[in-house]
């Protein structure tokens, strides 16, 4: 057996609350940022992270975009999205979200990124704190926006040689921390994959696919299950993204050390 991994190796040496606050107060720049945090919960999370007793959730935009920077670490996003979609895909680049036609004020999105795969397919990854703000109608609009974005680019590039067969799949992937009511009620499911189909069984190739991941259902299922089996890689990614609990972090790193 290999060397046992400890939380100190992952989160650093534990400190007392007093030690952390002393370090914060002695540095004017850090203290100013700490004081300006939006609410008491954020401050408490920051203190506990500095104490080495909890991790950070990747559902926050700044953390996610830093860890999954497609310019620096394209393999990380490629690996995670391949697990969600269910086949190997390589991220080629991240596309600017601000070029999206849909402009929203006061959005409660925690994250919104669009990536292009080497196949030419596109994926829109959204992390939503409150699921009912991202209904099916909104997903349809975001997906259609990606289709038209791809259509215009390919038509410009190919000119008269363009055909609709040049179009590639677009994937809309929504991770919900607090699921919408209809999603939460499906207590035994945390990953929903879907697209368009005919009731007659007629097979046609459509461009749009949708993925909803209910993180709250995922943790509820896992916490209520005495599971001694090795977690799947997809499960490890969901723990990594959605949990800051030391026991979850340790379990992921023990089973998948490359995390």
């Amino acid at each position: 057996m290999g060397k046992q991994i400890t939380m100190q190796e992952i989160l650093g040496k534990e400190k007392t609350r007093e030690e952390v606050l002393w370090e914060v107060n002695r540095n004017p720049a850090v203290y100013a940022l700490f004081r300006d945090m939006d609410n008491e919960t954020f401050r408490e999370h920051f203190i506990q992270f500095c104490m080495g007793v909890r991790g950070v959730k990747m559902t926050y935009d700044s953390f996610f975009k830093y860890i999954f920077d497609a310019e620096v670490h394209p393999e990380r996003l490629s690996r995670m999205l391949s697990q969600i979609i269910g086949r190997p895909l390589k991220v080629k680049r991240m596309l600017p979200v601000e070029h999206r036609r849909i402009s929203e004020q006061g959005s409660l999105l925690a994250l919104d990124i669009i990536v292009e795969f080497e196949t030419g397919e596109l994926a829109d990854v959204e992390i939503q704190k409150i699921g009912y703000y991202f209904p099916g109608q909104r997903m349809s609009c975001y997906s259609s926006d990606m289709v038209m974005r791809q259509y215009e680019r390919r038509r410009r590039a190919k000119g008269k040689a363009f055909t609709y067969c040049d179009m590639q799949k677009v994937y809309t992937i929504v991770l919900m921390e607090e699921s919408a009511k209809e999603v939460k009620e499906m207590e035994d499911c945390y990953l929903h994959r879907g697209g368009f189909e005919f009731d007659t069984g007629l097979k046609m190739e459509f461009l749009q696919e949708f993925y909803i991941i209910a993180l709250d259902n995922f943790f509820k299922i896992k916490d209520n299950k005495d599971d001694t089996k090795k977690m799947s890689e997809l499960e490890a990614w969901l723990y990594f993204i959605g949990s800051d609990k030391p026991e979850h972090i340790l379990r992921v790193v023990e089973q998948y050390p490359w995390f």
Side-chain angles (χ1 to χ4, degrees), residues 7-46:
M7 284 308 300
Q8 282 198 12
E9 292 177 82
I10 301 169
L11 295 179
K13 183 181 177 181
E14 283 193 24
K15 296 179 180 180
T16 65
R17 177 179 294 270
E18 290 71 26
E19 287 174 318
V20 171
L21 291 175
W22 181 81
E23 296 236 9
V24 169
N25 287 321
R26 71 192 285 264
N27 186 319
V30 174
Y31 177 72
L33 291 170
F34 179 74
R35 185 191 59 208
D36 290 342
M37 283 185 178
D38 288 356
N39 59 48
E40 196 63 38
T41 302
F42 288 163
R43 292 193 193 99
E44 184 58 28
H45 285 182
F46 174 76

mmCIF file of all heavy atoms in Angstrom, residues 7-46:
data_model
loop_
_atom_site.group_PDB
_atom_site.id
_atom_site.type_symbol
_atom_site.label_atom_id
_atom_site.label_comp_id
_atom_site.label_asym_id
_atom_site.label_seq_id
_atom_site.Cartn_x
_atom_site.Cartn_y
_atom_site.Cartn_z
ATOM 1 N N MET A 7 -5.030 15.271 5.479
ATOM 2 C CA MET A 7 -5.632 16.553 5.113
ATOM 3 C C MET A 7 -4.608 17.675 5.138
ATOM 4 O O MET A 7 -4.718 18.636 4.381
ATOM 5 C CB MET A 7 -6.793 16.881 6.052
ATOM 6 C CG MET A 7 -8.061 16.082 5.774
ATOM 7 S SD MET A 7 -8.602 16.140 4.036
ATOM 8 C CE MET A 7 -8.879 17.884 3.805
ATOM 9 N N GLN A 8 -3.594 17.560 5.989
ATOM 10 C CA GLN A 8 -2.566 18.610 6.039
ATOM 11 C C GLN A 8 -1.814 18.712 4.718
ATOM 12 O O GLN A 8 -1.401 19.792 4.312
ATOM 13 C CB GLN A 8 -1.584 18.349 7.187
ATOM 14 C CG GLN A 8 -2.138 18.735 8.544
ATOM 15 C CD GLN A 8 -1.046 18.879 9.594
ATOM 16 O OE1 GLN A 8 0.146 18.912 9.266
ATOM 17 N NE2 GLN A 8 -1.438 18.953 10.853
ATOM 18 N N GLU A 9 -1.625 17.572 4.044
ATOM 19 C CA GLU A 9 -0.940 17.585 2.750
ATOM 20 C C GLU A 9 -1.783 18.286 1.687
ATOM 21 O O GLU A 9 -1.253 18.803 0.707
ATOM 22 C CB GLU A 9 -0.626 16.157 2.306
ATOM 23 C CG GLU A 9 0.416 15.446 3.159
ATOM 24 C CD GLU A 9 0.618 14.017 2.701
ATOM 25 O OE1 GLU A 9 1.378 13.817 1.739
ATOM 26 O OE2 GLU A 9 -0.001 13.113 3.288
ATOM 27 N N ILE A 10 -3.097 18.281 1.878
ATOM 28 C CA ILE A 10 -4.001 18.881 0.888
ATOM 29 C C ILE A 10 -4.306 20.337 1.224
ATOM 30 O O ILE A 10 -4.202 21.222 0.375
ATOM 31 C CB ILE A 10 -5.318 18.069 0.810
ATOM 32 C CG1 ILE A 10 -5.023 16.616 0.436
ATOM 33 C CG2 ILE A 10 -6.273 18.700 -0.201
ATOM 34 C CD1 ILE A 10 -6.216 15.697 0.585
ATOM 35 N N LEU A 11 -4.679 20.595 2.479
ATOM 36 C CA LEU A 11 -5.122 21.932 2.873
ATOM 37 C C LEU A 11 -4.084 22.714 3.664
ATOM 38 O O LEU A 11 -4.322 23.859 4.033
ATOM 39 C CB LEU A 11 -6.416 21.824 3.698
ATOM 40 C CG LEU A 11 -7.641 21.279 2.956
ATOM 41 C CD1 LEU A 11 -8.840 21.205 3.892
ATOM 42 C CD2 LEU A 11 -7.970 22.134 1.742
ATOM 43 N N GLY A 12 -2.937 22.094 3.950
ATOM 44 C CA GLY A 12 -1.902 22.797 4.704
ATOM 45 C C GLY A 12 -2.037 22.587 6.200
ATOM 46 O O GLY A 12 -3.018 22.027 6.692
ATOM 47 N N LYS A 13 -1.042 23.050 6.918
ATOM 48 C CA LYS A 13 -1.011 22.897 8.376
ATOM 49 C C LYS A 13 -2.182 23.630 9.019
ATOM 50 O O LYS A 13 -2.492 24.766 8.688
ATOM 51 C CB LYS A 13 0.311 23.449 8.919
ATOM 52 C CG LYS A 13 0.482 23.271 10.413
ATOM 53 C CD LYS A 13 1.804 23.874 10.880
ATOM 54 C CE LYS A 13 1.924 23.762 12.396
ATOM 55 N NZ LYS A 13 3.195 24.375 12.873
ATOM 56 N N GLU A 14 -2.839 22.965 9.953
ATOM 57 C CA GLU A 14 -3.973 23.585 10.634
ATOM 58 C C GLU A 14 -3.528 24.760 11.492
ATOM 59 O O GLU A 14 -2.466 24.739 12.106
ATOM 60 C CB GLU A 14 -4.712 22.553 11.504
ATOM 61 C CG GLU A 14 -5.589 21.611 10.700
ATOM 62 C CD GLU A 14 -6.554 20.816 11.581
ATOM 63 O OE1 GLU A 14 -6.871 21.305 12.695
ATOM 64 O OE2 GLU A 14 -6.967 19.734 11.169
ATOM 65 N N LYS A 15 -4.384 25.800 11.516
ATOM 66 C CA LYS A 15 -4.145 26.970 12.352
ATOM 67 C C LYS A 15 -5.382 27.221 13.201
ATOM 68 O O LYS A 15 -6.488 26.794 12.854
ATOM 69 C CB LYS A 15 -3.870 28.213 11.487
ATOM 70 C CG LYS A 15 -2.613 28.130 10.642
ATOM 71 C CD LYS A 15 -2.445 29.401 9.813
ATOM 72 C CE LYS A 15 -1.186 29.325 8.959
ATOM 73 N NZ LYS A 15 -0.995 30.541 8.136
ATOM 74 N N THR A 16 -5.219 27.937 14.282
ATOM 75 C CA THR A 16 -6.366 28.316 15.092
ATOM 76 C C THR A 16 -7.042 29.530 14.462
ATOM 77 O O THR A 16 -6.442 30.250 13.645
ATOM 78 C CB THR A 16 -5.945 28.676 16.523
ATOM 79 O OG1 THR A 16 -5.126 29.865 16.480
ATOM 80 C CG2 THR A 16 -5.169 27.544 17.172
ATOM 81 N N ARG A 17 -8.289 29.771 14.848
ATOM 82 C CA ARG A 17 -9.004 30.946 14.374
ATOM 83 C C ARG A 17 -8.244 32.228 14.743
ATOM 84 O O ARG A 17 -8.146 33.157 13.942
ATOM 85 C CB ARG A 17 -10.405 30.966 14.992
ATOM 86 C CG ARG A 17 -11.257 32.180 14.634
ATOM 87 C CD ARG A 17 -12.622 32.055 15.281
ATOM 88 N NE ARG A 17 -13.329 30.934 14.714
ATOM 89 C CZ ARG A 17 -14.123 31.005 13.649
ATOM 90 N NH1 ARG A 17 -14.301 32.167 13.048
ATOM 91 N NH2 ARG A 17 -14.735 29.944 13.184
ATOM 92 N N GLU A 18 -7.694 32.245 15.931
ATOM 93 C CA GLU A 18 -6.951 33.436 16.394
ATOM 94 C C GLU A 18 -5.729 33.690 15.516
ATOM 95 O O GLU A 18 -5.413 34.839 15.176
ATOM 96 C CB GLU A 18 -6.528 33.259 17.856
ATOM 97 C CG GLU A 18 -7.673 33.293 18.871
ATOM 98 C CD GLU A 18 -8.565 32.057 18.803
ATOM 99 O OE1 GLU A 18 -8.066 30.978 18.372
ATOM 100 O OE2 GLU A 18 -9.759 32.169 19.143
ATOM 101 N N GLU A 19 -5.027 32.619 15.133
ATOM 102 C CA GLU A 19 -3.852 32.776 14.272
ATOM 103 C C GLU A 19 -4.237 33.340 12.910
ATOM 104 O O GLU A 19 -3.550 34.216 12.361
ATOM 105 C CB GLU A 19 -3.137 31.426 14.098
ATOM 106 C CG GLU A 19 -2.384 30.952 15.326
ATOM 107 C CD GLU A 19 -1.834 29.553 15.143
ATOM 108 O OE1 GLU A 19 -2.547 28.682 14.591
ATOM 109 O OE2 GLU A 19 -0.677 29.326 15.534
ATOM 110 N N VAL A 20 -5.338 32.847 12.363
ATOM 111 C CA VAL A 20 -5.793 33.327 11.049
ATOM 112 C C VAL A 20 -6.176 34.801 11.123
ATOM 113 O O VAL A 20 -5.768 35.612 10.285
ATOM 114 C CB VAL A 20 -6.982 32.480 10.542
ATOM 115 C CG1 VAL A 20 -7.608 33.120 9.293
ATOM 116 C CG2 VAL A 20 -6.535 31.057 10.222
ATOM 117 N N LEU A 21 -6.979 35.167 12.120
ATOM 118 C CA LEU A 21 -7.424 36.555 12.245
ATOM 119 C C LEU A 21 -6.252 37.496 12.501
ATOM 120 O O LEU A 21 -6.237 38.633 12.021
ATOM 121 C CB LEU A 21 -8.468 36.669 13.356
ATOM 122 C CG LEU A 21 -9.815 36.001 13.033
ATOM 123 C CD1 LEU A 21 -10.743 36.051 14.239
ATOM 124 C CD2 LEU A 21 -10.482 36.654 11.825
ATOM 125 N N TRP A 22 -5.251 37.014 13.240
ATOM 126 C CA TRP A 22 -4.057 37.839 13.476
ATOM 127 C C TRP A 22 -3.344 38.109 12.154
ATOM 128 O O TRP A 22 -2.930 39.230 11.875
ATOM 129 C CB TRP A 22 -3.124 37.123 14.466
ATOM 130 C CG TRP A 22 -1.892 37.918 14.776
ATOM 131 C CD1 TRP A 22 -1.765 38.949 15.661
ATOM 132 C CD2 TRP A 22 -0.589 37.754 14.172
ATOM 133 N NE1 TRP A 22 -0.488 39.451 15.667
ATOM 134 C CE2 TRP A 22 0.263 38.740 14.756
ATOM 135 C CE3 TRP A 22 -0.071 36.888 13.217
ATOM 136 C CZ2 TRP A 22 1.605 38.862 14.404
ATOM 137 C CZ3 TRP A 22 1.257 37.020 12.867
ATOM 138 C CH2 TRP A 22 2.086 37.993 13.447
ATOM 139 N N GLU A 23 -3.220 37.066 11.313
ATOM 140 C CA GLU A 23 -2.558 37.235 10.010
ATOM 141 C C GLU A 23 -3.350 38.178 9.104
ATOM 142 O O GLU A 23 -2.778 38.985 8.370
ATOM 143 C CB GLU A 23 -2.401 35.869 9.323
ATOM 144 C CG GLU A 23 -1.490 34.928 10.068
ATOM 145 C CD GLU A 23 -0.341 34.434 9.207
ATOM 146 O OE1 GLU A 23 -0.166 34.965 8.099
ATOM 147 O OE2 GLU A 23 0.363 33.538 9.664
ATOM 148 N N VAL A 24 -4.677 38.068 9.139
ATOM 149 C CA VAL A 24 -5.522 38.948 8.330
ATOM 150 C C VAL A 24 -5.360 40.398 8.779
ATOM 151 O O VAL A 24 -5.172 41.308 7.964
ATOM 152 C CB VAL A 24 -7.006 38.520 8.426
ATOM 153 C CG1 VAL A 24 -7.922 39.588 7.821
ATOM 154 C CG2 VAL A 24 -7.229 37.191 7.715
ATOM 155 N N ASN A 25 -5.399 40.623 10.087
ATOM 156 C CA ASN A 25 -5.368 41.985 10.620
ATOM 157 C C ASN A 25 -4.016 42.668 10.444
ATOM 158 O O ASN A 25 -3.946 43.895 10.355
ATOM 159 C CB ASN A 25 -5.747 41.976 12.107
ATOM 160 C CG ASN A 25 -7.238 41.718 12.309
ATOM 161 O OD1 ASN A 25 -8.062 42.219 11.558
ATOM 162 N ND2 ASN A 25 -7.587 40.917 13.303
ATOM 163 N N ARG A 26 -2.948 41.877 10.359
ATOM 164 C CA ARG A 26 -1.627 42.486 10.257
ATOM 165 C C ARG A 26 -1.280 42.919 8.828
ATOM 166 O O ARG A 26 -0.296 43.600 8.613
ATOM 167 C CB ARG A 26 -0.554 41.522 10.791
ATOM 168 C CG ARG A 26 -0.286 40.316 9.897
ATOM 169 C CD ARG A 26 0.554 39.275 10.611
ATOM 170 N NE ARG A 26 1.944 39.684 10.709
ATOM 171 C CZ ARG A 26 2.899 39.304 9.852
ATOM 172 N NH1 ARG A 26 2.603 38.503 8.844
ATOM 173 N NH2 ARG A 26 4.134 39.704 10.017
ATOM 174 N N ASN A 27 -2.088 42.495 7.863
ATOM 175 C CA ASN A 27 -1.840 42.852 6.455
ATOM 176 C C ASN A 27 -2.962 43.770 5.973
ATOM 177 O O ASN A 27 -4.084 43.319 5.741
ATOM 178 C CB ASN A 27 -1.781 41.578 5.611
ATOM 179 C CG ASN A 27 -1.382 41.847 4.167
ATOM 180 O OD1 ASN A 27 -1.831 42.811 3.560
ATOM 181 N ND2 ASN A 27 -0.527 40.990 3.623
ATOM 182 N N PRO A 28 -2.715 45.068 5.812
ATOM 183 C CA PRO A 28 -3.783 46.021 5.451
ATOM 184 C C PRO A 28 -4.542 45.646 4.175
ATOM 185 O O PRO A 28 -5.763 45.798 4.109
ATOM 186 C CB PRO A 28 -3.031 47.348 5.284
ATOM 187 C CG PRO A 28 -1.806 47.191 6.124
ATOM 188 C CD PRO A 28 -1.415 45.746 6.016
ATOM 189 N N ALA A 29 -3.810 45.157 3.164
ATOM 190 C CA ALA A 29 -4.476 44.813 1.893
ATOM 191 C C ALA A 29 -5.430 43.643 2.078
ATOM 192 O O ALA A 29 -6.564 43.650 1.583
ATOM 193 C CB ALA A 29 -3.427 44.485 0.835
ATOM 194 N N VAL A 30 -4.971 42.604 2.803
ATOM 195 C CA VAL A 30 -5.825 41.432 3.048
ATOM 196 C C VAL A 30 -7.005 41.819 3.929
ATOM 197 O O VAL A 30 -8.150 41.401 3.697
ATOM 198 C CB VAL A 30 -5.008 40.293 3.700
ATOM 199 C CG1 VAL A 30 -5.924 39.140 4.100
ATOM 200 C CG2 VAL A 30 -3.937 39.806 2.737
ATOM 201 N N TYR A 31 -6.738 42.632 4.948
ATOM 202 C CA TYR A 31 -7.815 43.037 5.860
ATOM 203 C C TYR A 31 -8.901 43.812 5.110
ATOM 204 O O TYR A 31 -10.093 43.623 5.342
ATOM 205 C CB TYR A 31 -7.260 43.898 6.996
ATOM 206 C CG TYR A 31 -8.350 44.405 7.920
ATOM 207 C CD1 TYR A 31 -8.996 43.536 8.801
ATOM 208 C CD2 TYR A 31 -8.762 45.739 7.870
ATOM 209 C CE1 TYR A 31 -10.011 43.988 9.620
ATOM 210 C CE2 TYR A 31 -9.780 46.195 8.680
ATOM 211 C CZ TYR A 31 -10.402 45.320 9.563
ATOM 212 O OH TYR A 31 -11.412 45.761 10.368
ATOM 213 N N ALA A 32 -8.496 44.678 4.174
ATOM 214 C CA ALA A 32 -9.474 45.455 3.405
ATOM 215 C C ALA A 32 -10.362 44.534 2.564
ATOM 216 O O ALA A 32 -11.577 44.717 2.497
ATOM 217 C CB ALA A 32 -8.750 46.460 2.509
ATOM 218 N N LEU A 33 -9.754 43.521 1.939
ATOM 219 C CA LEU A 33 -10.534 42.556 1.147
ATOM 220 C C LEU A 33 -11.455 41.740 2.037
ATOM 221 O O LEU A 33 -12.619 41.482 1.698
ATOM 222 C CB LEU A 33 -9.589 41.633 0.375
ATOM 223 C CG LEU A 33 -8.788 42.271 -0.762
ATOM 224 C CD1 LEU A 33 -7.711 41.308 -1.268
ATOM 225 C CD2 LEU A 33 -9.705 42.674 -1.901
ATOM 226 N N PHE A 34 -10.941 41.321 3.178
ATOM 227 C CA PHE A 34 -11.730 40.532 4.131
ATOM 228 C C PHE A 34 -12.935 41.334 4.621
ATOM 229 O O PHE A 34 -14.058 40.829 4.664
ATOM 230 C CB PHE A 34 -10.834 40.133 5.310
ATOM 231 C CG PHE A 34 -11.528 39.344 6.377
ATOM 232 C CD1 PHE A 34 -11.856 38.008 6.188
ATOM 233 C CD2 PHE A 34 -11.848 39.933 7.597
ATOM 234 C CE1 PHE A 34 -12.495 37.274 7.174
ATOM 235 C CE2 PHE A 34 -12.493 39.203 8.596
ATOM 236 C CZ PHE A 34 -12.807 37.874 8.379
ATOM 237 N N ARG A 35 -12.710 42.589 4.947
ATOM 238 C CA ARG A 35 -13.780 43.450 5.445
ATOM 239 C C ARG A 35 -14.851 43.686 4.378
ATOM 240 O O ARG A 35 -16.037 43.838 4.685
ATOM 241 C CB ARG A 35 -13.172 44.783 5.881
ATOM 242 C CG ARG A 35 -14.146 45.766 6.535
ATOM 243 C CD ARG A 35 -13.488 47.126 6.654
ATOM 244 N NE ARG A 35 -13.093 47.605 5.330
ATOM 245 C CZ ARG A 35 -12.075 48.434 5.124
ATOM 246 N NH1 ARG A 35 -11.316 48.845 6.125
ATOM 247 N NH2 ARG A 35 -11.782 48.831 3.892
ATOM 248 N N ASP A 36 -14.434 43.713 3.107
ATOM 249 C CA ASP A 36 -15.368 44.015 2.025
ATOM 250 C C ASP A 36 -16.116 42.785 1.500
ATOM 251 O O ASP A 36 -16.902 42.913 0.556
ATOM 252 C CB ASP A 36 -14.627 44.671 0.850
ATOM 253 C CG ASP A 36 -14.157 46.079 1.194
ATOM 254 O OD1 ASP A 36 -14.681 46.651 2.166
ATOM 255 O OD2 ASP A 36 -13.259 46.589 0.493
ATOM 256 N N MET A 37 -15.862 41.612 2.076
ATOM 257 C CA MET A 37 -16.603 40.419 1.639
ATOM 258 C C MET A 37 -18.102 40.644 1.845
ATOM 259 O O MET A 37 -18.529 41.265 2.820
ATOM 260 C CB MET A 37 -16.147 39.186 2.420
ATOM 261 C CG MET A 37 -14.826 38.635 1.949
ATOM 262 S SD MET A 37 -14.393 37.101 2.803
ATOM 263 C CE MET A 37 -12.847 36.719 1.985
ATOM 264 N N ASP A 38 -18.907 40.088 0.904
ATOM 265 C CA ASP A 38 -20.334 40.390 0.852
ATOM 266 C C ASP A 38 -21.095 40.107 2.141
ATOM 267 O O ASP A 38 -21.964 40.849 2.539
ATOM 268 C CB ASP A 38 -20.998 39.611 -0.294
ATOM 269 C CG ASP A 38 -20.607 40.166 -1.649
ATOM 270 O OD1 ASP A 38 -19.901 41.188 -1.668
ATOM 271 O OD2 ASP A 38 -20.994 39.579 -2.663
ATOM 272 N N ASN A 39 -20.798 38.976 2.756
ATOM 273 C CA ASN A 39 -21.560 38.630 3.961
ATOM 274 C C ASN A 39 -20.723 37.805 4.932
ATOM 275 O O ASN A 39 -19.607 37.389 4.635
ATOM 276 C CB ASN A 39 -22.848 37.882 3.591
ATOM 277 C CG ASN A 39 -22.574 36.605 2.828
ATOM 278 O OD1 ASN A 39 -21.734 35.806 3.207
ATOM 279 N ND2 ASN A 39 -23.288 36.400 1.719
ATOM 280 N N GLU A 40 -21.303 37.579 6.093
ATOM 281 C CA GLU A 40 -20.610 36.883 7.170
ATOM 282 C C GLU A 40 -20.281 35.444 6.801
ATOM 283 O O GLU A 40 -19.263 34.892 7.215
ATOM 284 C CB GLU A 40 -21.484 36.913 8.436
ATOM 285 C CG GLU A 40 -20.757 36.564 9.719
ATOM 286 C CD GLU A 40 -19.641 37.558 10.046
ATOM 287 O OE1 GLU A 40 -19.815 38.758 9.824
ATOM 288 O OE2 GLU A 40 -18.580 37.093 10.516
ATOM 289 N N THR A 41 -21.144 34.821 5.982
ATOM 290 C CA THR A 41 -20.908 33.430 5.573
ATOM 291 C C THR A 41 -19.617 33.313 4.781
ATOM 292 O O THR A 41 -18.822 32.397 4.992
ATOM 293 C CB THR A 41 -22.094 32.910 4.738
ATOM 294 O OG1 THR A 41 -23.285 33.008 5.506
ATOM 295 C CG2 THR A 41 -21.864 31.460 4.330
ATOM 296 N N PHE A 42 -19.391 34.246 3.844
ATOM 297 C CA PHE A 42 -18.162 34.221 3.054
ATOM 298 C C PHE A 42 -16.940 34.389 3.944
ATOM 299 O O PHE A 42 -15.925 33.729 3.771
ATOM 300 C CB PHE A 42 -18.176 35.327 1.993
ATOM 301 C CG PHE A 42 -19.120 35.075 0.849
ATOM 302 C CD1 PHE A 42 -19.494 36.112 0.008
ATOM 303 C CD2 PHE A 42 -19.632 33.814 0.609
ATOM 304 C CE1 PHE A 42 -20.366 35.894 -1.060
ATOM 305 C CE2 PHE A 42 -20.502 33.577 -0.439
ATOM 306 C CZ PHE A 42 -20.870 34.618 -1.271
ATOM 307 N N ARG A 43 -17.044 35.298 4.909
ATOM 308 C CA ARG A 43 -15.916 35.514 5.819
ATOM 309 C C ARG A 43 -15.612 34.237 6.610
ATOM 310 O O ARG A 43 -14.453 33.871 6.791
ATOM 311 C CB ARG A 43 -16.224 36.663 6.789
ATOM 312 C CG ARG A 43 -16.302 38.023 6.138
ATOM 313 C CD ARG A 43 -16.283 39.130 7.188
ATOM 314 N NE ARG A 43 -16.671 40.405 6.595
ATOM 315 C CZ ARG A 43 -17.885 40.926 6.680
ATOM 316 N NH1 ARG A 43 -18.822 40.293 7.360
ATOM 317 N NH2 ARG A 43 -18.163 42.082 6.107
ATOM 318 N N GLU A 44 -16.674 33.583 7.068
ATOM 319 C CA GLU A 44 -16.484 32.361 7.852
ATOM 320 C C GLU A 44 -15.860 31.258 6.992
ATOM 321 O O GLU A 44 -14.977 30.525 7.440
ATOM 322 C CB GLU A 44 -17.817 31.899 8.435
ATOM 323 C CG GLU A 44 -17.734 30.682 9.343
ATOM 324 C CD GLU A 44 -16.815 30.883 10.537
ATOM 325 O OE1 GLU A 44 -16.643 32.045 10.996
ATOM 326 O OE2 GLU A 44 -16.260 29.878 11.027
ATOM 327 N N HIS A 45 -16.301 31.121 5.745
ATOM 328 C CA HIS A 45 -15.709 30.132 4.840
ATOM 329 C C HIS A 45 -14.221 30.420 4.624
ATOM 330 O O HIS A 45 -13.397 29.496 4.608
ATOM 331 C CB HIS A 45 -16.436 30.148 3.491
ATOM 332 C CG HIS A 45 -17.784 29.504 3.537
ATOM 333 N ND1 HIS A 45 -18.589 29.380 2.426
ATOM 334 C CD2 HIS A 45 -18.488 28.940 4.552
ATOM 335 C CE1 HIS A 45 -19.723 28.774 2.755
ATOM 336 N NE2 HIS A 45 -19.681 28.510 4.033
ATOM 337 N N PHE A 46 -13.902 31.702 4.450
ATOM 338 C CA PHE A 46 -12.512 32.096 4.247
ATOM 339 C C PHE A 46 -11.662 31.738 5.474
ATOM 340 O O PHE A 46 -10.559 31.193 5.347
ATOM 341 C CB PHE A 46 -12.445 33.602 3.969
ATOM 342 C CG PHE A 46 -11.049 34.151 3.893
ATOM 343 C CD1 PHE A 46 -10.255 33.940 2.785
ATOM 344 C CD2 PHE A 46 -10.516 34.873 4.956
ATOM 345 C CE1 PHE A 46 -8.960 34.435 2.718
ATOM 346 C CE2 PHE A 46 -9.232 35.378 4.905
ATOM 347 C CZ PHE A 46 -8.450 35.154 3.785
#
